[in-house]
Amino acid sequence: MGEPPASDRIATLYSAETISDRVDALARGIAACDLREPLIVAVLKGSFIFAADLIRALHRQGLEPEIDFIFLASYGTGTTGGTVEILRDVESAIEGRDVVIVDDILDSGRTLLFAKERLAARGARSVRACVLLDKKARRLESVTADFTGFECPNRFVVGYGMDIANRYRELPFIGVIETDD
Ligand code: 5GP
Ligand code: MG
């Protein structure tokens, strides 16, 4: 009980406590921006746990953010391919609002760039991005996050909402799957 399946050993990269402290710090940073009618847009699926913790941390900072979701799928990899498709769009009114996109990982940057451009095109007053992990080494698009949890090594991570083949989202920590070689 409480252990991952025996087939995989998962080494902790960021513990639940480390994540929690960092989420509080991110919330303080966001609160300091004095956002007008803040709208948090969480990018599904990977950011759902991060977003849930972040909005409660924002509440502790005295904010009353609205939360909505955009479900994006990114297809294709490499320097030439790669398109982002909207599986579910934001329903909230966006015009004139200060939007904060929340995503799990900033990797190639395609997903975040797409989301930023889309929300700006829909009339947001400002669009900021808050990502839990930044894999700087993998960037293909020129896009940055305004708030970053951790600069992450170039490893495939799971846990805290993030999956591999739909597994491990439930882990309270962020880890890497250990291989035997
Ligand atoms: P980008 O468009 O920046 O290349 O893609 C970012 C998305 O790819 C992340 O939001 C996340 O969903 C997924 N991703 C990138 N790296 C990892 C990883 O190490 N683990 C998991 N589970 N997803 C990842
Ligand atoms: Mg994602």
Side-chain angles (χ1 to χ4, degrees), residues 43-47 72 103-105 111:
V43 181
L44 295 174
K45 300 178 185 173
S47 74
L72 297 177
D103 204 359
D104 51 357
I105 305 180
T111 306

Side-chain angles (χ1 to χ4, degrees), residues 43-47 72 74 76-77 84 103-113 133 135 138-141 143 152-159 161-165 167 169 175-176:
V43 181
L44 295 174
K45 300 178 185 173
S47 74
L72 297 177
S74 178
T77 49
V84 180
D103 204 359
D104 51 357
I105 305 180
L106 178 49
D107 193 38
S108 74
R110 280 201 188 101
T111 306
L112 185 59
L113 184 65
L133 304 178
K135 286 189 189 171
R138 304 216 347 131
R139 199 76 81 257
L140 296 173
E141 301 286 351
V143 59
C152 177
N154 189 8
R155 306 276 305 274
F156 195 87
V157 302
V158 296
M162 295 172 280
D163 75 313
I164 182 161
R167 291 178 68 190
R169 291 194 198 274
V176 291

Side-chain angles (χ1 to χ4, degrees), residues 15 22 40 43 101 107 117 119 124 126 143-144 150 160 171:
S15 70
R22 196 64 200 124
I40 304 292
V43 181
I101 298 168
D107 193 38
E117 286 179 346
L119 291 160
S126 68
V143 59
T144 55
F150 305 97
Y160 197 67
L171 298 180

